[in-house]
Amino acid sequence: MASTHYMDLLMQNSPWNLILFMAIPVVLAETIAITELLIPLLSQRAELMKKVNRVCGVLAGVAFIGIILYLFPTVVLPIASNGQFRTWVDAVAIFSYLLAGIPMILLALLNLKLLFKRSEPKKRHVIRISLLAAFLVLSHIAMIFGMVDPSIAGYQPAKQSVEMNHSHHHSHGDVQQDFLQQDHSMHDHSHHH
């Protein structure tokens, strides 16, 4: 089964990539969403909720600026310039993930009163909710497409041709891979008889 670059990225350097690129942004976004929902309900604690909401909003924006600045040159540009996207599924996963950062960065600017500072509170609230919604939608599109096996969209991993050559420089992993492939070919022969 092939995986998208998005999944590869999350799986590498375990568990740090998962924490940095998935857990931190998602936890911050969920905290923002939950506090946003609770502010109208908890009048006594509304101030605290607003504070938490604002702090998380700024942190999420900062996190995404870092993520985008890191991923763009190290992951996205090399893949794009070498045309190595594993079909459109892979491209959708990566770009929707990066695009999800934009509403978060805008939300941070809104929280720092650098955006829409002259708008009335109600309008700012609508903008906040819209940005949060945009983030949630885009990040979920990234997760869903990121988990898809790109071979269903016609992606063929290049590795197989190398493994078929049975080179003598085997590492343990390759031997296992070859063993699995031989196993499959035996099954295939038995089906044909």
Side-chain angles (χ1 to χ4, degrees), residues 18-94:
L18 199 58
I19 292 169
L20 288 171
F21 299 124
M22 177 68 81
I24 292 173
V26 166
V27 167
L28 289 170
E30 286 175 354
T31 308
I32 297 164
I34 292 162
T35 49
E36 202 66 69
L37 294 169
L38 292 178
I39 289 166
L41 303 176
L42 301 175
S43 45
Q44 315 89 336
R45 299 251 162 75
E47 279 317 302
L48 172 71
M49 290 290 158
K50 279 181 187 161
K51 236 186 216 99
V52 172
N53 182 297
R54 265 200 298 275
V55 170
C56 288
V58 172
L59 289 177
V62 170
F64 266 106
I65 290 172
I67 287 170
I68 291 172
L69 288 178
Y70 170 75
L71 288 184
F72 221 85
T74 55
V75 178
V76 182
L77 286 178
I79 294 172
S81 57
N82 300 328
Q84 285 175 336
F85 279 114
R86 297 170 189 164
T87 73
W88 60 271
V89 169
D90 196 16
V92 167
I94 287 184

Side-chain angles (χ1 to χ4, degrees), residues 137-155:
V137 169
L138 286 164
S139 61
H140 284 100
I141 290 172
M143 279 180 216
I144 293 162
F145 280 92
M147 288 173 190
V148 169
D149 176 350
S151 57
I152 65 167
Y155 168 69

Side-chain angles (χ1 to χ4, degrees), residues 176-190:
Q176 223 171 357
Q177 228 15 73
D178 284 342
F179 176 71
L180 288 172
Q181 272 167 349
Q182 284 163 353
D183 202 41
H184 280 307
S185 52
M186 282 172 166
H187 282 303
D188 291 348
H189 290 309
S190 59

Side-chain angles (χ1 to χ4, degrees), residues 94-129:
I94 287 184
F95 283 110
S96 50
Y97 178 74
L98 290 174
L99 285 173
I102 295 169
M104 271 305 169
I105 293 166
L106 293 174
L107 191 62
L109 295 174
L110 192 78
N111 282 324
L112 292 167
K113 305 237 179 352
L114 298 172
L115 264 189
F116 303 111
K117 52 174 178 257
R118 293 202 179 79
S119 309
E120 66 265 29
K122 190 161 186 209
K123 187 181 172 195
R124 285 169 57 107
H125 191 71
V126 170
I127 295 165
R128 295 168 69 86
I129 301 285

